[in-house]
C-alpha cells in the first residue's frame, strides 16, 4: 500500500490513502510548512467524500474514541483539537453555506462583507471544512458549485485567520487556489500518482464481498480464497472506488450465472459497469440507460417511485412500463431508494410514506447524461410529462416533486420563462428551489410576474412560509407592481383563505406618516373614507399642510389624500374637512394595531388573538388602522391599504 508499511493498521473506514491522510493531518496540525488551504479534488467517484469522511472522524472527539488510533500510522492521525466547522454544501446555496459558517463561530455580522471582516479580526485562527461542493445548490442547472467557490470559498481562502479545506470538483480546484501567495494552498488530486492508492481498491472490494460486513452468503463470498481473488480482480480492473462499488453491487444483486473466474464482466469504468451488467442480464445497455435517465436528470433527493415509469417513457419516446415492472434486478445496482416521512404541510398528507429514487452517485448521472442525444430535449419531455401530471392543472393538488422541482427541469430545457406566468405555481412551489431556478435566468428574459416573484422570494424563503402565507405575500406584491390580474387570480382562483385583501398601492417615496379618516359628503352624500399621507414637499400632487400651508410656502410637510377603499388620489379634497377617528372610536374597534421595528401586528381586542402580522423587505415608516379594519401602511417603497380579515394568525408583506 502506497506510503505505509505493514506495521500500521489502515484507517478502518478508508482502508488506505496514507499519503493523503498524512497531508490532511499536517494541515490540521498547522505543522511547519503545511498549507493553510487544502483543496481536495479528483474525478467524480474517486473517493473524495470517503476520504474526507474518514478524516473528519479523526477530528471529531466522539468518533476518535472508536478508532484504533494506537495501531494507526501516527503521521496520519491529527492532534485532538476542537472540531472544525463543517458546513456541508449539499443542496445549499452559497449564501446558506456562508451563514452556516458564521453561525458556527457566533459571528454578529448582518452582511456578507461583515462576516469576512469579523473572521479576519479574530485573534486565533479558525478551521473550516466544506464537503460536497459538487452537490451544492437546490437546482443543478443553476451552477451553484461555481458560485460557492467564487463567492464564498475564495474569500475564505484569502482570509488569513481561516484554515480552509474544501472538497471541490476538478474544474474548480485550480480556480480556488489561484491568486493565493505561494505555499498557501495545496491541491490534493486523488487521481494523481502521488496521491493514488491502487491497493485501497482491492481492500474495498474484498471488504464489500465479505459476509461479515453485510454481503449475502454466496459461493464466491463465503469461500475466503475465491472471495479474495475476486476482490483482487475487481480492484485491479476498477479505476475508482465507485467502479468497485458498482461491480460488487452487480454481482451481489444478480449472482445467477456469475463466474468469479471470468473477468470479462468486471468493469473498468462507470460506463462499462452499466454496459456489462445489462449484457450479463440479457438486455441491451440502452434499455438500462433509458430506465435510469429520469434519475440522471432528477432534482433534489430523487424522483418519487410512482413517477419513474412516466418519466422514463417520456425520455425514451415509448412505453417503458414493462421494462420497469421487471427492471429492479437490472437497475438495482445503480439506484438508491430512500423512504422519506411525510413532512410537507402543503401536501395534505400526499407526502407521507414516499419512496424516492436517486442514482447511487453523481458520476452515474454524468455518464448517462453524456449518452443522451440532447439533455435539453430530454428535459423538455420530462417537463411536459410533469405538467400533464398536475391534476386539473391545480398546483395545490400536484405531487410535491412536480410542484417543487418542475422549475429545475424547465430551466435546463430552456423553457423556464414560459412557465413563470402561473400564480398557482408561485404560491404552491417550494420557494427555495423555485427562487434558485428563477435567479439563474437572465433578468431580461423574465416577464413581469416572474420579476415580482423574484423580488418577493427572499421574504418567502426567510419566513419559510406555508402556501397561504406565500399567497399573502404575492397578492400584495402583484398589487404593488401594477399586476392586479395576478393578485385577483390568487384571491379568486386558488381557494386559499388570505388574511387580507390589498386594496391599492401607491408608489410614492418618502412617506413619513399616515392616518385614516373620512371626508364628509356634501348635500347629503355619504362620507368618503380617505388615507392622508405625509410626504416631502414638492411631491407631485401634494399640498403643504399646517402653518406652511397657511403661509403658502412649501418648506414644511406636504400631504396626499387618497381614497382609503377605492384607489385614486383626491386632488380636490379639503384637508381641513377630514375627520380622524376619535380615541373612543379606536378603543371601541374590534381590531388593534401594534408596531415593532420590522413588523406590524393586527389583533382582536376581544381575545388578544393576532389575526395578521406583517413584515416587509423594506422598513416600515408609518401605519394606521381604521375602526372597520383597513390597515394603512407606508414603507420606503410607498403606501398601501389592506382590508384585514379576522382569521387565524398570519404574516404578510
Amino acid at each position: 500500500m502506497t506510503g505505509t508499511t505493514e506495521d500500521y493498521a489502515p484507517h478502518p473506514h478508508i482502508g488506505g490513502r496514507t499519503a493523503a491522510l498524512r497531508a490532511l493531518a499536517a494541515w490540521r496540525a498547522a505543522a511547519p510548512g503545511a498549507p493553510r488551504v487544502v483543496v481536495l479534488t479528483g474525478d467524480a467517484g474517486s473517493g473524495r467524500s470517503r476520504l474526507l469522511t474518514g478524516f473528519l472522524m479523526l477530528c471529531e472527539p466522539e468518533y476518535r474514541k472508536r478508532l484504533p488510533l494506537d495501531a494507526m500510522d501516527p503521521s496520519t492521525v491529527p492532534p485532538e483539537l476542537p472540531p472544525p466547522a463543517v458546513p456541508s454544501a449539499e443542496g445549499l446555496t452559497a449564501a446558506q453555506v456562508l451563514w452556516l459558517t458564521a453561525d458556527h463561530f457566533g459571528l454578529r455580522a448582518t452582511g456578507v462583507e461583515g462576516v469576512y471582516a469579523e473572521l479576519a479580526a479574530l485573534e486565533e485562527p479558525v478551521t473550516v471544512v466544506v464537503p460536497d461542493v459538487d452537490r451544492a445548490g437546490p437546482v443543478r442547472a443553476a451552477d451553484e458549485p461555481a458560485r460557492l467557490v467564487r463567492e464564498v470559498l475564495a474569500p475564505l481562502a484569502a482570509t488569513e485567520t481561516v484554515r480552509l479545506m474544501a472538497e471541490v470538483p476538478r474544474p474548480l480546484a485550480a480556480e480556488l487556489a489561484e491568486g493565493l501567495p505561494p505555499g498557501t494552498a495545496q491541491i490534493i488530486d486523488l487521481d494523481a500518482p502521488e496521491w493514488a492508492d491502487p491497493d485501497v481498491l482491492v481492500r474495498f472490494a474484498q471488504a464489500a464481498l465479505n459476509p461479515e460486513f453485510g454481503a449475502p452468503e454466496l459461493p464466491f463470498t463465503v469461500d475466503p480464497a475465491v472471495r479474495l481473488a475476486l476482490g483482487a480482480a475487481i480492484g485491479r480492473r476498477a479505476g475508482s472506488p465507485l467502479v468497485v462499488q458498482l461491480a460488487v453491487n452487480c454481482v451481489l444483486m444478480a449472482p445467477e450465472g456469475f463466474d468469479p473466474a471470468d473477468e470479462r464482466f468486471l468493469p473498468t469504468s462507470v460506463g462499462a459497469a452499466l454496459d456489462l451488467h445489462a449484457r450479463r442480464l440479457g438486455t441491451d445497455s440502452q434499455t438500462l440507460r433509458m430506465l435510469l435517465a429520469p434519475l440522471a436528470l432528477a432534482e433534489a433527493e430523487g424522483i418519487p417511485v410512482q413517477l419513474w415509469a412516466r418519466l422514463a417513457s417520456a425520455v425514451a419516446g415509448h412505453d417503458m412500463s414493462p421494462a420497469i415492472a421487471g427492471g429492479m434486478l437490472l437497475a438495482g445496482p445503480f439506484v438508491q431508494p430512500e423512504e422519506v416521512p411525510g413532512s410537507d404541510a402543503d401536501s395534505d398528507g400526499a407526502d407521507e410514506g414516499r419512496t424516492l429514487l436517486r442514482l447511487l452517485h453523481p458520476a452515474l448521472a454524468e455518464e448517462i447524461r453524456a449518452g443522451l442525444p440532447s439533455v435539453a430535449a430530454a428535459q423538455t419531455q420530462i417537463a411536459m410529462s410533469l405538467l400533464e401530471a398536475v391534476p386539473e392543472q391545480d398546483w395545490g393538488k400536484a405531487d410535491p416533486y412536480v410542484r417543487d422541482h418542475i422549475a429545475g427541469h424547465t430551466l435546463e430545457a430552456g423553457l423556464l420563462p414560459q412557465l413563470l406566468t402561473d400564480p398557482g405555481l408561485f404560491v404552491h412551489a417550494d420557494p427555495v428551489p423555485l427562487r434558485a431556478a428563477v435567479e439563474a435566468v437572465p433578468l431580461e428574459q423574465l416577464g413581469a410576474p416572474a420579476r415580482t416573484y423574484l423580488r418577493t422570494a427572499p421574504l418567502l424563503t426567510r419566513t419559510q412560509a406555508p402556501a397561504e402565507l406565500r399567497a399573502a405575500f404575492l397578492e400584495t406584491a402583484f398589487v404593488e407592481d401594477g399586476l392586479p390580474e395576478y393578485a385577483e387570480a390568487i384571491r379568486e382562483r386558488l381557494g386559499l383563505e388570505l388574511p387580507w385583501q390589498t386594496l391599492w398601492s401607491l408608489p410614492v417615496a418618502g412617506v413619513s406618516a399616515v392616518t385614516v379618516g373620512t371626508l364628509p359628503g356634501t348635500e347629503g352624500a355619504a362620507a368618503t373614507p380617505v388615507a392622508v399621507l405625509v410626504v416631502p414637499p414638492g411631491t407631485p400632487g401634494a399640498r403643504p399642510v399646517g402653518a406652511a400651508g397657511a403661509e403658502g410656502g412649501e418648506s414644511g410637510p406636504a400631504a396626499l389624500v387618497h381614497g382609503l377603499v377605492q384607489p385614486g388620489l383626491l386632488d380636490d379634497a379639503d384637508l381641513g374637512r377630514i375627520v380622524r377617528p376619535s380615541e373612543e372610536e379606536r378603543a371601541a374597534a374590534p381590531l388593534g394595531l401594534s408596531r415593532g421595528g420590522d413588523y406590524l401586528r393586527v389583533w382582536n381586542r376581544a381575545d388578544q388573538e393576532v389575526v395578521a402580522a406583517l413584515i416587509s423587505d423594506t422598513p416600515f415608516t408609518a401605519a394606521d388602522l381604521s375602526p372597520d379594519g383597513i390597515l394603512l401602511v407606508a414603507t420606503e417603497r410607498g403606501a398601501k391599504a389592506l382590508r384585514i380579515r379576522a382569521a387565524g394568525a398570519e404574516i404578510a408583506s
Side-chain angles (χ1 to χ4, degrees), residues 421-514:
T421 59
D422 189 336
L425 177 65
F426 292 148
V427 166
H428 288 290
D430 182 340
V432 173
L434 181 55
R435 175 187 179 184
V438 177
E439 286 179 338
V441 178
L443 192 61
E444 62 273 12
Q445 295 181 18
L446 296 177
R451 294 184 185 218
T452 295
Y453 181 86
L454 194 58
R455 79 164 179 84
T456 312
L459 285 179
L460 304 183
T461 54
R462 169 184 163 191
T463 59
Q464 298 182 333
E468 289 80 4
L469 182 48
R470 295 196 291 264
F473 276 111
L474 289 163
E475 188 265 359
T476 295
F478 283 131
V479 173
E480 288 177 333
D481 291 352
L483 299 169
E485 66 276 19
Y486 284 87
E488 183 179 1
I490 288 175
R491 290 192 299 265
E492 304 298 332
R493 296 207 328 247
L494 302 188
L496 299 173
E497 290 292 331
L498 303 189
W500 71 88
Q501 176 184 350
T502 307
L503 301 176
W504 52 264
S505 175
L506 186 66
V508 57
V511 180
S512 59
V514 298

Side-chain angles (χ1 to χ4, degrees), residues 1 15 187 210 237 271 279 287 313 323 354 395 499 557 607 630:
M1 184 159 46
I187 296 177
N210 195 329
R237 290 176 61 85
R279 187 192 311 166
T287 296
S313 301
R354 291 165 64 78
W395 290 102
D607 57 10
I630 296 179

Side-chain angles (χ1 to χ4, degrees), residues 15 53 56 72 95 121 212 242 274 280 358 368 425 461 630:
T53 298
L56 289 174
M72 294 171 60
E212 291 185 8
L242 175 61
L274 291 164
R280 192 163 67 84
R358 64 188 297 180
I368 294 166
L425 177 65
T461 54
I630 296 179

Side-chain angles (χ1 to χ4, degrees), residues 237-452:
R237 290 176 61 85
S240 70
L242 175 61
V243 177
V244 169
Q245 184 178 8
L246 296 178
V248 171
N249 284 358
C250 289
V251 300
L252 294 184
M253 288 190 181
E256 292 77 10
F258 175 70
D259 180 0
D262 185 353
E263 295 189 6
R264 291 178 303 159
F265 290 101
L266 301 183
T268 58
S269 65
V270 172
L274 291 164
D275 298 340
L276 292 175
H277 183 67
R279 187 192 311 166
R280 192 163 67 84
L281 267 61
T283 189
D284 64 286
S285 176
Q286 188 64 12
T287 296
L288 173 58
R289 289 170 181 262
M290 286 296 100
L291 283 177
L292 300 178
L295 309 184
L297 298 168
E299 294 289 334
E301 297 301 310
I303 63 171
V305 66
Q306 68 270 20
L307 290 177
W308 187 17
R310 169 190 285 269
L311 300 185
S313 301
V315 175
H318 56 84
D319 186 10
M320 293 289 289
S321 300
I324 285 179
M328 278 314 296
L329 201 63
L330 179 63
F334 312 99
V335 173
Q336 181 177 336
E338 182 178 356
E339 300 293 331
V340 295
S343 59
D344 191 333
D346 294 337
S347 65
D348 297 326
D351 203 24
E352 294 182 4
R354 291 165 64 78
T355 300
L356 299 181
L357 299 178
R358 64 188 297 180
L359 291 177
L360 199 63
H361 194 279
L364 274 166
E366 292 178 12
E367 170 67 26
I368 294 166
R369 288 162 62 91
L372 293 172
S374 168
V375 169
Q379 288 285 33
T380 298
Q381 295 304 315
I382 284 181
M384 295 302 102
S385 182
L386 292 177
L387 278 174
E388 293 170 359
V390 179
E392 304 168 13
Q393 291 304 295
D394 182 346
W395 290 102
K397 300 177 181 178
D399 180 278
Y401 181 87
V402 178
R403 180 191 68 209
D404 297 336
H405 298 296
I406 190 171
H409 292 283
T410 54
L411 174 65
E412 195 162 27
L415 301 174
L416 182 56
Q418 292 92 304
L419 183 70
L420 300 177
T421 59
D422 189 336
L425 177 65
F426 292 148
V427 166
H428 288 290
D430 182 340
V432 173
L434 181 55
R435 175 187 179 184
V438 177
E439 286 179 338
V441 178
L443 192 61
E444 62 273 12
Q445 295 181 18
L446 296 177
R451 294 184 185 218
T452 295

Side-chain angles (χ1 to χ4, degrees), residues 498-561:
L498 303 189
W500 71 88
Q501 176 184 350
T502 307
L503 301 176
W504 52 264
S505 175
L506 186 66
V508 57
V511 180
S512 59
V514 298
T515 186
V516 299
T518 55
L519 186 63
T522 58
E523 299 180 359
T528 302
V530 296
V532 180
L533 317 176
V534 178
V535 295
T539 299
R543 285 164 291 165
V545 298
E551 296 169 3
E554 293 191 359
S555 59
L560 292 169
V561 180

